[in-house]
Amino acid sequence: MTIQKISSFSFLLIFFICLPFSVYSQSNKFTISGKVIDDALNVPLEYATIAITRPNDPNFLDGGVTDIEGKFNINVPPGVYNITVEFISYTSKTFKNKKVEADLDLGTIMLGINASSLDEVVVRAETTQVEVRLDKKIYNIGKDLTTKGGTVSDALSNVPSVSVDVEGAISLRGNQNVRVLINGKPSALAGFGSTDVLGQLPADAIDRVEVITSPSARYDAEGTAGIINIILRKDKTLGFNGSVSTTVGYPESYGITANVNLRTEKYNLFNTTGYNYRSGPGGGNFDTRYFQGNFNRVLENRDYDRSNKGFNTNLGMEYYINDKSSITASTFFRYGDGEDITTNLTQKFQDKTLGQETLRREVESEKDKSFQFALNYVNRFNEEGHKLTMDFQYENDKEEQPAFITETVRVNNTSEETPFLPSEEVFTEEKQNEYLFQADYVLPFGEDSQFEAGYRGNFKNENTDYNLNIEDASGRLVRNDTVSNIFDYTENVNAIYTQYGTKFGDFSFLLGLRLENTQLKGEIDSPFSDEDLVNAFGFKIDTDFDNNYLGLFPTVNFIYELSETENVTLGYNRRINRPRGWFINPFPSRSSRTNIFQGNPNLAPAYASAYDLGYLKRWEKLTLTSSVYYQYETDAFERVQQGTEQFFEGIEIIRTIPINLATNERIGAEAGILYNPAKWLRLNGSVNFFQFKTEGDFNGVDYGAKNNSWFGRFSSKVSLPANIDWQTNAFYVGASENSQTKTEGIFSLDMALSKEIFKERATLSFNVRDLLNSRKRNSLTTTERFIQDSEFQWRARQFTLTLIYRFNQKKKDQNRRGENGGGEDFEFEG
């Protein structure tokens, strides 16, 4: 099926699902009004919450908040309602079975203080909570002290099922093939398909994180491990309010972030703007023993000195066209300017005798800009959930990476140095444009059933211009045509989906089917013939390819409510892992002259089927979540290292290349607890155990392997006198092994203290990331040509001091909004 046919089918689908709009007639509405005051002080209570439900329809929910005078006006269709009025630390009031057949004025509603309720709400708001839906778990991050002054990557490190390794790579249940979305969509926040930029954005920008291990048909089928959807803050509280956060740290870092919000009856204006500077020293040691060549052992000692300064701003406005429809426009801009200095001291031995010592220095700069414009339209046809959502998004990214490399040799084992190799200048420029079009239609019918359908088109082009200039005998820098190239890569995905969900008593299910067409197109501008490229890179590659893949992706999700506090879930879904541009580009990038990474244009998408069985139980002070899961993946990606039979200065060049293995089978189990044994103590922990088995070979070498591994985390938060909180987070990832490499376990410990000041309008916090400086990866790689021991540390221990000041909102106001103002309208899903 061609893309044109799929697009035509998509437009026909949208036409038919929109047909009911023209004949739809709206019901009359009536107003429920009143005023909420403090019964002792006789003053109005601003931001009190009014929740409106139907006794015979548990899925119906409406409501609002009071204004500065404590008044509220809420429009509802005719019917019978339960009306609950709540305010943090006050005893709530409920008006049951109120028949609304005309405007209803509840008059003045007086609420009194309830001290026990205050403690309960604060505990819920300040600890990470979990909410189970049919297709996901939602974690409200809460006041995690160890991420104050930290980044989005730091915050993700504390989410159950999620782990972030020493290089910032994100995994879900130990699987790195996870799709990261921002507000339900791909975003410029993730740059060129990488998650590196998440390490530059402030954690304070996050409202909640959705862990979607069994995605419904509504979501893109990308990511065999599942989806992590990061929902950013967009406050909906009336009036002008916000916060300013300033941070200083060691190794040198500092930053400032402001979150502001202006809400009126007609529009909501929101902005997050931040500037930060971070330095990140790190290092690594590599001990490689070769079985052939002039040297049989090479020791490398690498030091990394990284610095990055960045500015980012997100500005948006939601305009309420009427009480049923709204349009939201937002822009995001990010600018980054960084410099990495890598020093690599290499010692080469022959039979324990030092034969040569070289020093390689690489100075790499990086400047990147990202711009994104997003437009969202929502039309709610009634209060039962009948709605149409339409999205448009444009993204432009540009990244420049110039680097200059010198290498000298030490003479007679002294500190005297002479030029060893010609200097190199590398310049990489990447440009990316991406368009997204999306339409989602939701039609509830009956009391507990819902139909959904939609279309999504994602069109992306990425151009990579890679130039390598090498110093010649006269000292001039001359272009090396063997490696220099221009790679133009296009990825187009068209998808339509439909799903149906219903509920029978305590049993609910959601069935969906998604049809996706993927086009992967690449063109390499190279002066070499196919034969030249085979001789240069060792295998046949296609310099001009256009591949189309059509796939069906069913999803099935069940949930059974054993009680109000206990449920069982079961899910099945089929997913795809599409190879990205740098995995396909066959021209190598080099970390050294003898270690290269080379893409594989023959790489095909991988497909996975996954099953998940979950259980949740809530007690008064304890919440337990658990699940067992199984995944079977075909054509799974695996990065393998190979000798090339090419030598440089007597050392064989080692190549790392991604390949399609035959299968990857994964089975695992996880459990997590949230426990509040006392008002002053809050605990949470999780553990995930998994086993994976791979089978397949490449170039006559068997890369099959079987391995068990696990990771776990534990967090405790203690409330001390004088408004001081103390939090400790511990994380351990167990040893792992694939077909070539064994990696040892890694333990890290974070600790933080915070104190409320200025009458709880400000918070001062101090935290230490990786207190024991133990977040290091030690591994052993064994092949037929070499054995390599390595130790790598991406970022050394960090100390951070953060001050957050809130204006027009107190600490308890933030807690109340975190509990009742979750920004449901902001949760774009797709």
Side-chain angles (χ1 to χ4, degrees), residues 192 336-338 364-369 397-403 426-431:
F192 287 89
D337 186 0
E364 180 182 40
S365 300
E366 180 178 326
K367 292 186 178 181
D368 51 84
K369 295 180 181 178
D397 302 289
K398 183 178 180 180
E399 184 177 284
E400 295 180 352
Q401 290 181 307
V426 180
F427 185 82
T428 305
E429 183 181 53
E430 293 182 86
K431 298 178 181 178

PDB file of all heavy atoms in Angstrom, residues 192 336-338 364-369 397-403 426-431:
ATOM      1  N   PHE A 192      17.827  15.814  18.116  1.00  0.00           N
ATOM      2  CA  PHE A 192      17.892  14.937  16.953  1.00  0.00           C
ATOM      3  C   PHE A 192      17.593  13.496  17.345  1.00  0.00           C
ATOM      4  O   PHE A 192      18.387  12.590  17.140  1.00  0.00           O
ATOM      5  CB  PHE A 192      19.270  15.021  16.294  1.00  0.00           C
ATOM      6  CG  PHE A 192      19.502  16.300  15.545  1.00  0.00           C
ATOM      7  CD1 PHE A 192      20.042  17.407  16.181  1.00  0.00           C
ATOM      8  CD2 PHE A 192      19.161  16.408  14.208  1.00  0.00           C
ATOM      9  CE1 PHE A 192      20.251  18.586  15.494  1.00  0.00           C
ATOM     10  CE2 PHE A 192      19.371  17.587  13.514  1.00  0.00           C
ATOM     11  CZ  PHE A 192      19.915  18.680  14.156  1.00  0.00           C
ATOM     12  N   GLY A 336      21.853  26.058  22.762  1.00  0.00           N
ATOM     13  CA  GLY A 336      22.899  25.446  23.565  1.00  0.00           C
ATOM     14  C   GLY A 336      24.270  25.752  23.002  1.00  0.00           C
ATOM     15  O   GLY A 336      24.466  25.808  21.779  1.00  0.00           O
ATOM     16  N   ASP A 337      25.233  25.950  23.882  1.00  0.00           N
ATOM     17  CA  ASP A 337      26.611  26.227  23.484  1.00  0.00           C
ATOM     18  C   ASP A 337      27.525  25.470  24.442  1.00  0.00           C
ATOM     19  O   ASP A 337      27.608  25.808  25.631  1.00  0.00           O
ATOM     20  CB  ASP A 337      26.886  27.733  23.538  1.00  0.00           C
ATOM     21  CG  ASP A 337      28.263  28.093  22.982  1.00  0.00           C
ATOM     22  OD1 ASP A 337      28.985  27.171  22.556  1.00  0.00           O
ATOM     23  OD2 ASP A 337      28.602  29.295  22.976  1.00  0.00           O
ATOM     24  N   GLY A 338      28.182  24.446  23.938  1.00  0.00           N
ATOM     25  CA  GLY A 338      28.995  23.615  24.809  1.00  0.00           C
ATOM     26  C   GLY A 338      30.379  23.367  24.246  1.00  0.00           C
ATOM     27  O   GLY A 338      30.644  23.571  23.057  1.00  0.00           O
ATOM     28  N   GLU A 364      36.172  19.788  21.152  1.00  0.00           N
ATOM     29  CA  GLU A 364      34.954  19.760  20.356  1.00  0.00           C
ATOM     30  C   GLU A 364      33.956  20.778  20.898  1.00  0.00           C
ATOM     31  O   GLU A 364      33.656  20.787  22.092  1.00  0.00           O
ATOM     32  CB  GLU A 364      34.322  18.377  20.357  1.00  0.00           C
ATOM     33  CG  GLU A 364      33.042  18.293  19.539  1.00  0.00           C
ATOM     34  CD  GLU A 364      32.392  16.919  19.589  1.00  0.00           C
ATOM     35  OE1 GLU A 364      32.389  16.328  20.696  1.00  0.00           O
ATOM     36  OE2 GLU A 364      31.905  16.461  18.555  1.00  0.00           O
ATOM     37  N   SER A 365      33.477  21.629  20.030  1.00  0.00           N
ATOM     38  CA  SER A 365      32.440  22.584  20.397  1.00  0.00           C
ATOM     39  C   SER A 365      31.113  22.109  19.835  1.00  0.00           C
ATOM     40  O   SER A 365      31.064  21.339  18.874  1.00  0.00           O
ATOM     41  CB  SER A 365      32.764  23.978  19.852  1.00  0.00           C
ATOM     42  OG  SER A 365      33.997  24.446  20.370  1.00  0.00           O
ATOM     43  N   GLU A 366      30.038  22.567  20.436  1.00  0.00           N
ATOM     44  CA  GLU A 366      28.706  22.209  19.950  1.00  0.00           C
ATOM     45  C   GLU A 366      27.763  23.389  20.154  1.00  0.00           C
ATOM     46  O   GLU A 366      27.588  23.872  21.270  1.00  0.00           O
ATOM     47  CB  GLU A 366      28.165  20.980  20.671  1.00  0.00           C
ATOM     48  CG  GLU A 366      26.773  20.575  20.203  1.00  0.00           C
ATOM     49  CD  GLU A 366      26.261  19.318  20.879  1.00  0.00           C
ATOM     50  OE1 GLU A 366      27.075  18.432  21.166  1.00  0.00           O
ATOM     51  OE2 GLU A 366      25.047  19.251  21.131  1.00  0.00           O
ATOM     52  N   LYS A 367      27.183  23.818  19.060  1.00  0.00           N
ATOM     53  CA  LYS A 367      26.164  24.859  19.117  1.00  0.00           C
ATOM     54  C   LYS A 367      24.898  24.306  18.483  1.00  0.00           C
ATOM     55  O   LYS A 367      24.939  23.787  17.377  1.00  0.00           O
ATOM     56  CB  LYS A 367      26.621  26.115  18.377  1.00  0.00           C
ATOM     57  CG  LYS A 367      27.787  26.827  19.060  1.00  0.00           C
ATOM     58  CD  LYS A 367      28.120  28.141  18.366  1.00  0.00           C
ATOM     59  CE  LYS A 367      29.252  28.861  19.093  1.00  0.00           C
ATOM     60  NZ  LYS A 367      29.586  30.163  18.467  1.00  0.00           N
ATOM     61  N   ASP A 368      23.811  24.395  19.202  1.00  0.00           N
ATOM     62  CA  ASP A 368      22.565  23.862  18.665  1.00  0.00           C
ATOM     63  C   ASP A 368      21.408  24.811  18.965  1.00  0.00           C
ATOM     64  O   ASP A 368      21.370  25.483  19.993  1.00  0.00           O
ATOM     65  CB  ASP A 368      22.285  22.461  19.217  1.00  0.00           C
ATOM     66  CG  ASP A 368      22.371  22.389  20.722  1.00  0.00           C
ATOM     67  OD1 ASP A 368      21.376  22.715  21.400  1.00  0.00           O
ATOM     68  OD2 ASP A 368      23.432  22.016  21.224  1.00  0.00           O
ATOM     69  N   LYS A 369      20.493  24.829  18.011  1.00  0.00           N
ATOM     70  CA  LYS A 369      19.275  25.623  18.135  1.00  0.00           C
ATOM     71  C   LYS A 369      18.079  24.749  17.794  1.00  0.00           C
ATOM     72  O   LYS A 369      18.133  23.972  16.839  1.00  0.00           O
ATOM     73  CB  LYS A 369      19.306  26.836  17.198  1.00  0.00           C
ATOM     74  CG  LYS A 369      20.375  27.865  17.497  1.00  0.00           C
ATOM     75  CD  LYS A 369      20.318  29.015  16.503  1.00  0.00           C
ATOM     76  CE  LYS A 369      21.399  30.048  16.767  1.00  0.00           C
ATOM     77  NZ  LYS A 369      21.358  31.146  15.772  1.00  0.00           N
ATOM     78  N   ASP A 397      15.559  22.009  13.826  1.00  0.00           N
ATOM     79  CA  ASP A 397      16.758  21.866  14.645  1.00  0.00           C
ATOM     80  C   ASP A 397      17.990  22.081  13.785  1.00  0.00           C
ATOM     81  O   ASP A 397      18.036  21.670  12.615  1.00  0.00           O
ATOM     82  CB  ASP A 397      16.849  20.472  15.264  1.00  0.00           C
ATOM     83  CG  ASP A 397      15.660  20.135  16.121  1.00  0.00           C
ATOM     84  OD1 ASP A 397      15.546  20.716  17.211  1.00  0.00           O
ATOM     85  OD2 ASP A 397      14.846  19.300  15.699  1.00  0.00           O
ATOM     86  N   LYS A 398      18.993  22.681  14.387  1.00  0.00           N
ATOM     87  CA  LYS A 398      20.278  22.842  13.728  1.00  0.00           C
ATOM     88  C   LYS A 398      21.379  22.639  14.761  1.00  0.00           C
ATOM     89  O   LYS A 398      21.305  23.177  15.867  1.00  0.00           O
ATOM     90  CB  LYS A 398      20.403  24.217  13.075  1.00  0.00           C
ATOM     91  CG  LYS A 398      21.711  24.407  12.312  1.00  0.00           C
ATOM     92  CD  LYS A 398      21.770  25.769  11.631  1.00  0.00           C
ATOM     93  CE  LYS A 398      23.075  25.938  10.867  1.00  0.00           C
ATOM     94  NZ  LYS A 398      23.171  27.270  10.193  1.00  0.00           N
ATOM     95  N   GLU A 399      22.377  21.867  14.378  1.00  0.00           N
ATOM     96  CA  GLU A 399      23.456  21.564  15.306  1.00  0.00           C
ATOM     97  C   GLU A 399      24.787  21.592  14.561  1.00  0.00           C
ATOM     98  O   GLU A 399      24.930  21.001  13.493  1.00  0.00           O
ATOM     99  CB  GLU A 399      23.230  20.180  15.920  1.00  0.00           C
ATOM    100  CG  GLU A 399      24.233  19.768  16.986  1.00  0.00           C
ATOM    101  CD  GLU A 399      23.889  18.423  17.571  1.00  0.00           C
ATOM    102  OE1 GLU A 399      22.941  18.355  18.386  1.00  0.00           O
ATOM    103  OE2 GLU A 399      24.541  17.430  17.189  1.00  0.00           O
ATOM    104  N   GLU A 400      25.768  22.292  15.126  1.00  0.00           N
ATOM    105  CA  GLU A 400      27.109  22.371  14.551  1.00  0.00           C
ATOM    106  C   GLU A 400      28.115  21.849  15.555  1.00  0.00           C
ATOM    107  O   GLU A 400      28.091  22.226  16.730  1.00  0.00           O
ATOM    108  CB  GLU A 400      27.449  23.814  14.170  1.00  0.00           C
ATOM    109  CG  GLU A 400      26.595  24.388  13.061  1.00  0.00           C
ATOM    110  CD  GLU A 400      26.973  25.814  12.719  1.00  0.00           C
ATOM    111  OE1 GLU A 400      27.796  26.398  13.462  1.00  0.00           O
ATOM    112  OE2 GLU A 400      26.458  26.347  11.728  1.00  0.00           O
ATOM    113  N   GLN A 401      29.021  20.982  15.084  1.00  0.00           N
ATOM    114  CA  GLN A 401      30.025  20.376  15.968  1.00  0.00           C
ATOM    115  C   GLN A 401      31.397  20.438  15.311  1.00  0.00           C
ATOM    116  O   GLN A 401      31.829  19.491  14.654  1.00  0.00           O
ATOM    117  CB  GLN A 401      29.664  18.925  16.281  1.00  0.00           C
ATOM    118  CG  GLN A 401      28.460  18.746  17.179  1.00  0.00           C
ATOM    119  CD  GLN A 401      28.194  17.273  17.465  1.00  0.00           C
ATOM    120  OE1 GLN A 401      28.079  16.456  16.565  1.00  0.00           O
ATOM    121  NE2 GLN A 401      28.101  16.936  18.727  1.00  0.00           N
ATOM    122  N   PRO A 402      32.116  21.537  15.483  1.00  0.00           N
ATOM    123  CA  PRO A 402      33.507  21.569  15.023  1.00  0.00           C
ATOM    124  C   PRO A 402      34.430  20.946  16.073  1.00  0.00           C
ATOM    125  O   PRO A 402      34.200  21.082  17.281  1.00  0.00           O
ATOM    126  CB  PRO A 402      33.784  23.063  14.856  1.00  0.00           C
ATOM    127  CG  PRO A 402      32.855  23.728  15.823  1.00  0.00           C
ATOM    128  CD  PRO A 402      31.645  22.842  15.946  1.00  0.00           C
ATOM    129  N   ALA A 403      35.456  20.250  15.614  1.00  0.00           N
ATOM    130  CA  ALA A 403      36.403  19.621  16.535  1.00  0.00           C
ATOM    131  C   ALA A 403      37.805  19.698  15.933  1.00  0.00           C
ATOM    132  O   ALA A 403      37.977  19.587  14.707  1.00  0.00           O
ATOM    133  CB  ALA A 403      36.029  18.173  16.804  1.00  0.00           C
ATOM    134  N   VAL A 426      37.540  18.194  12.297  1.00  0.00           N
ATOM    135  CA  VAL A 426      36.274  17.551  11.966  1.00  0.00           C
ATOM    136  C   VAL A 426      35.156  18.580  12.126  1.00  0.00           C
ATOM    137  O   VAL A 426      35.102  19.296  13.125  1.00  0.00           O
ATOM    138  CB  VAL A 426      36.002  16.335  12.874  1.00  0.00           C
ATOM    139  CG1 VAL A 426      34.675  15.691  12.506  1.00  0.00           C
ATOM    140  CG2 VAL A 426      37.134  15.328  12.771  1.00  0.00           C
ATOM    141  N   PHE A 427      34.285  18.653  11.129  1.00  0.00           N
ATOM    142  CA  PHE A 427      33.135  19.562  11.228  1.00  0.00           C
ATOM    143  C   PHE A 427      31.879  18.803  10.835  1.00  0.00           C
ATOM    144  O   PHE A 427      31.787  18.246   9.742  1.00  0.00           O
ATOM    145  CB  PHE A 427      33.311  20.779  10.325  1.00  0.00           C
ATOM    146  CG  PHE A 427      32.221  21.799  10.482  1.00  0.00           C
ATOM    147  CD1 PHE A 427      32.269  22.722  11.517  1.00  0.00           C
ATOM    148  CD2 PHE A 427      31.133  21.818   9.626  1.00  0.00           C
ATOM    149  CE1 PHE A 427      31.259  23.655  11.679  1.00  0.00           C
ATOM    150  CE2 PHE A 427      30.123  22.745   9.782  1.00  0.00           C
ATOM    151  CZ  PHE A 427      30.179  23.668  10.819  1.00  0.00           C
ATOM    152  N   THR A 428      30.925  18.759  11.763  1.00  0.00           N
ATOM    153  CA  THR A 428      29.653  18.087  11.519  1.00  0.00           C
ATOM    154  C   THR A 428      28.524  19.094  11.653  1.00  0.00           C
ATOM    155  O   THR A 428      28.443  19.820  12.652  1.00  0.00           O
ATOM    156  CB  THR A 428      29.431  16.940  12.526  1.00  0.00           C
ATOM    157  OG1 THR A 428      30.539  16.050  12.490  1.00  0.00           O
ATOM    158  CG2 THR A 428      28.155  16.175  12.182  1.00  0.00           C
ATOM    159  N   GLU A 429      27.687  19.142  10.647  1.00  0.00           N
ATOM    160  CA  GLU A 429      26.516  20.020  10.683  1.00  0.00           C
ATOM    161  C   GLU A 429      25.268  19.180  10.425  1.00  0.00           C
ATOM    162  O   GLU A 429      25.192  18.465   9.431  1.00  0.00           O
ATOM    163  CB  GLU A 429      26.621  21.131   9.642  1.00  0.00           C
ATOM    164  CG  GLU A 429      25.444  22.119   9.701  1.00  0.00           C
ATOM    165  CD  GLU A 429      25.556  23.211   8.653  1.00  0.00           C
ATOM    166  OE1 GLU A 429      25.715  22.873   7.461  1.00  0.00           O
ATOM    167  OE2 GLU A 429      25.502  24.390   9.032  1.00  0.00           O
ATOM    168  N   GLU A 430      24.307  19.273  11.334  1.00  0.00           N
ATOM    169  CA  GLU A 430      23.060  18.539  11.196  1.00  0.00           C
ATOM    170  C   GLU A 430      21.894  19.525  11.148  1.00  0.00           C
ATOM    171  O   GLU A 430      21.827  20.465  11.940  1.00  0.00           O
ATOM    172  CB  GLU A 430      22.857  17.570  12.368  1.00  0.00           C
ATOM    173  CG  GLU A 430      23.844  16.430  12.415  1.00  0.00           C
ATOM    174  CD  GLU A 430      23.550  15.498  13.575  1.00  0.00           C
ATOM    175  OE1 GLU A 430      22.715  14.592  13.396  1.00  0.00           O
ATOM    176  OE2 GLU A 430      24.148  15.683  14.637  1.00  0.00           O
ATOM    177  N   LYS A 431      20.973  19.263  10.216  1.00  0.00           N
ATOM    178  CA  LYS A 431      19.752  20.058  10.101  1.00  0.00           C
ATOM    179  C   LYS A 431      18.568  19.112  10.053  1.00  0.00           C
ATOM    180  O   LYS A 431      18.621  18.073   9.392  1.00  0.00           O
ATOM    181  CB  LYS A 431      19.779  20.928   8.843  1.00  0.00           C
ATOM    182  CG  LYS A 431      20.890  21.955   8.807  1.00  0.00           C
ATOM    183  CD  LYS A 431      20.865  22.740   7.504  1.00  0.00           C
ATOM    184  CE  LYS A 431      21.996  23.761   7.439  1.00  0.00           C
ATOM    185  NZ  LYS A 431      21.999  24.503   6.152  1.00  0.00           N
TER     186      LYS A 431
END
